[in-house]
Amino acid sequence: MPKKTAIIFCGALAREILDIVQKHGWDAEVFGISALDHMYPERIAPDVEKRYLDIRDRFDRVLIGFGDCGSRGAVDQLAAKYNLERIDGPHCYEMYGGTTFQELMDEEPGTFFLTDFLVRGFKGTILKGLGLDRFPDLKEDYFRNYKRIVYLAQNPDPELIAQAQKAADFLELPLEVRTTGYGLLEERLVAMMNRGSAAD
């Protein structure tokens, strides 16, 4: 009998992970953690642990759909504590961009990245999250060392690209758009799910 599987994932990956689960027809339940935790990375592991403890009795297998995301190893420590499997990768930019992410960083370390999630939520996540809505003068302090914006697009459409351009115009940085699809995020989730199937 197939194992009951849960995936605890970052809210910044919500649409993508839900789409991947549906695309592959997996019998898995998904549980999101607020993407705002990225503004306070020390909250990520405790919030994942809390969600895990809330649901663990209902599932035979729980996967963690988080990168390290600035937690300084806390997510991996949590995974080791409960013998859980975490998706490979330091953060979503690498999961989407793969080797392209590092190539872009090597080419220009002053690169600010956007994803579909960050484009949609630019006002709330970036402007409000960094306090730029209240203190616009901070823009120079935060972004003075950035040279460009690269939008790693999962499902690009003209509206999202236009929103990305508005964000770039606000930050006064040139915009590049790279279409990545779901990249390594999907590959790694498929591998994790397949490992579970092979163990049945």
Side-chain angles (χ1 to χ4, degrees):
M1 183 175 178
K3 293 183 178 181
K4 292 170 62 179
T5 300
I7 305 172
I8 300 174
F9 64 87
C10 170
L13 305 176
R15 289 185 184 218
E16 291 75 20
I17 287 184
L18 289 169
D19 193 26
I20 292 167
V21 168
Q22 184 177 26
K23 173 183 175 182
H24 291 276
W26 294 330
D27 184 14
E29 288 191 43
V30 293
F31 300 87
I33 303 296
S34 174
L36 293 178
D37 276 11
H38 286 84
M39 307 302 290
Y40 310 94
E42 69 277 5
R43 297 180 183 176
I44 294 174
D47 284 351
V48 172
E49 182 173 31
K50 183 177 185 299
R51 183 58 59 90
Y52 168 69
L53 294 175
D54 286 344
I55 68 171
R56 64 178 175 178
D57 291 340
R58 296 164 45 199
F59 296 92
D60 299 310
R61 187 175 185 227
V62 179
L63 307 178
I64 300 178
F66 264 89
D68 179 75
C69 300
S71 74
R72 299 183 180 182
V75 177
D76 282 328
Q77 292 169 17
L78 172 67
K81 178 179 178 179
Y82 295 106
N83 195 30
L84 303 175
E85 189 173 1
R86 176 180 80 78
I87 191 169
D88 291 334
H91 43 65
C92 62
Y93 307 127
E94 183 272 345
M95 292 182 200
Y96 289 140
T99 57
T100 299
F101 167 77
Q102 192 56 53
E103 289 167 2
L104 289 166
M105 287 297 293
D106 291 342
E107 177 184 286
E108 175 49 76
T111 300
F112 185 79
F113 289 93
L114 293 174
T115 62
D116 286 5
F117 169 81
L118 287 173
V119 169
R120 288 191 188 95
F122 185 79
K123 288 183 179 178
T125 305
I126 305 299
L127 299 188
K128 187 175 180 181
L130 294 176
L132 295 174
D133 57 333
R134 291 167 291 136
F135 307 104
D137 291 346
L138 289 175
K139 182 174 72 171
E140 173 63 21
D141 293 330
Y142 287 146
F143 293 95
R144 69 160 53 100
N145 294 319
Y146 286 103
K147 307 299 182 185
R148 67 176 177 182
I149 291 179
V150 174
Y151 169 26
L152 302 175
Q154 288 72 69
N155 293 293
D157 62 42
E159 183 179 345
L160 284 179
I161 292 172
Q163 289 180 41
Q165 186 61 61
K166 287 181 180 178
D169 291 344
F170 172 78
L171 297 177
E172 302 177 76
L173 293 169
L175 174 69
E176 297 180 27
V177 180
R178 303 289 184 99
T179 300
T180 65
Y182 297 153
L184 295 175
L185 173 67
E186 181 169 9
E187 290 182 26
R188 291 168 181 171
L189 279 175
V190 168
M192 289 170 75
M193 292 297 291
N194 286 343
R195 282 193 289 274
S197 298
D200 289 342

